[in-house]
Amino acid sequence: MLDKQYAVRAARCRHTAANEEVYETLRRITDPLTRSWEKLAKANKIAIKFNMMMEPHHIHYFAGRRRELVDDAVARAVLRLLRERTSARLVAVDSFGRSQPGVTDANLNYMPLLDEFEVGYAESNLPPFATYEVPGGGGMFKRYTLNACFQDADEVVSVAKMKNHLFMGITLCMKNLFGLPPTVPPEGRVRSYFHHAIRLSY
C-alpha cells in the first residue's frame, strides 16, 4: 500500500511537432507536479539518464524522429525546463559514451544537446565507482555498483522511451535506469544480465 499519492500525466504530440510545441506540451503537463518541482528547485546537482545511447548505425528513424530512443525534441524540452526552473548543476549519466577518460565516443549521439544546455557527462563504465544500497533490501539485488556521481546528486531524472517488452508488456523509467550499471568487468556485468526477460521484472 502506497503511503503517498502519485500523479501520472501524459499528452500526445504528433511526430511532426516542432520543438516549441513539444516544449509547451511538456511544460503544461508537468506544471501541476508541484511536489517534484519543489524538490528539483532545491537541488544543487541533478543526474539525468536519457534513453538515447546507441551506436549511430543502429538508430532507427521515422520521418526524421528517433523511433526507439528518446527524441531530440523531448530531450531538448526536458533540459530547457530544468534550466528554466532550477539552478542545479546538470549531469547526464550513461554508458558506452566514452571508451576512455576525455575521449568522446560516437555512441554518445546526443552530446550536441548536452553542450547546448551546458550539461556535464559522467560515463558509467569509468571510475570512480560507488556501491549503493537498495532501501528495504531490494526485490532482486540488495546493492548496485554505479558511477560515484550519484553520491552527491540531490535528485535523479529518468527520461525514458516507452517500449514494448517480451515479458512486462512495456518498459518505462525504471528499465531506463538499468542502463546505469557498468558493463565492463571487473566492476560491471554484461547489459543482458540486468535486462534479462524475467530478472528485469523483479
Side-chain angles (χ1 to χ4, degrees), residues 2-9 30-43 85 155:
L2 294 175
D3 59 354
K4 295 181 180 179
Q5 295 296 315
Y6 291 93
V8 176
R9 298 178 59 80
T30 60
D31 268 350
L33 303 178
T34 54
R35 191 169 56 199
S36 296
W37 281 119
E38 286 170 3
K39 290 182 178 180
L40 292 168
K42 295 176 183 176
R85 301 194 60 164
E155 302 294 338

Side-chain angles (χ1 to χ4, degrees), residues 23-190:
Y23 163 79
E24 289 295 342
T25 302
L26 185 63
R27 183 186 58 77
R28 186 181 75 249
I29 66 173
T30 60
D31 268 350
L33 303 178
T34 54
R35 191 169 56 199
S36 296
W37 281 119
E38 286 170 3
K39 290 182 178 180
L40 292 168
K42 295 176 183 176
N44 292 313
K45 178 180 175 182
I46 299 173
I48 311 167
K49 170 62 171 72
F50 290 101
N51 185 199
M52 296 179 76
M53 188 69 76
M54 187 176 286
E55 297 88 345
H57 60 281
H58 285 157
I59 299 176
H60 297 282
Y61 294 88
F62 178 79
R65 311 309 280 264
R66 296 179 196 241
R67 195 176 69 188
E68 299 171 15
L69 302 173
V70 170
D71 189 68
D72 289 34
V74 174
R76 182 176 282 108
V78 168
L79 293 175
R80 180 177 167 186
L81 276 172
L82 288 172
R83 279 288 177 231
E84 290 174 352
R85 301 194 60 164
T86 80
S87 58
R89 181 162 63 98
L90 305 181
V91 179
V93 191
D94 220 324
S95 56
F96 291 120
R98 294 180 179 177
S99 54
Q100 54 184 316
V103 178
T104 303
D105 192 290
N107 295 342
L108 186 53
N109 53 74
Y110 56 98
M111 181 59 93
L113 285 172
L114 301 184
D115 290 342
E116 180 181 341
F117 289 92
E118 298 181 342
V119 177
Y121 179 75
E123 169 56 45
S124 292
N125 280 319
L126 295 178
F129 298 108
T131 301
Y132 301 87
E133 302 291 328
V134 177
M140 176 63 73
F141 303 103
K142 293 182 178 180
R143 62 191 60 85
Y144 290 89
T145 297
L146 302 172
N147 189 283
C149 77
F150 291 104
Q151 289 184 311
D152 63 344
D154 301 292
E155 302 294 338
V156 177
V157 174
S158 176
V159 186
K161 177 82 170 187
M162 187 168 67
K163 305 180 190 181
N164 64 321
H165 185 265
L166 60 90
F167 188 84
M168 299 172 69
I170 60 170
T171 66
L172 298 170
C173 284
M174 185 64 78
K175 182 196 181 267
N176 181 41
L177 297 177
F178 278 94
L180 291 174
T183 59
V184 178
E187 293 86 0
R189 302 175 183 266
V190 294

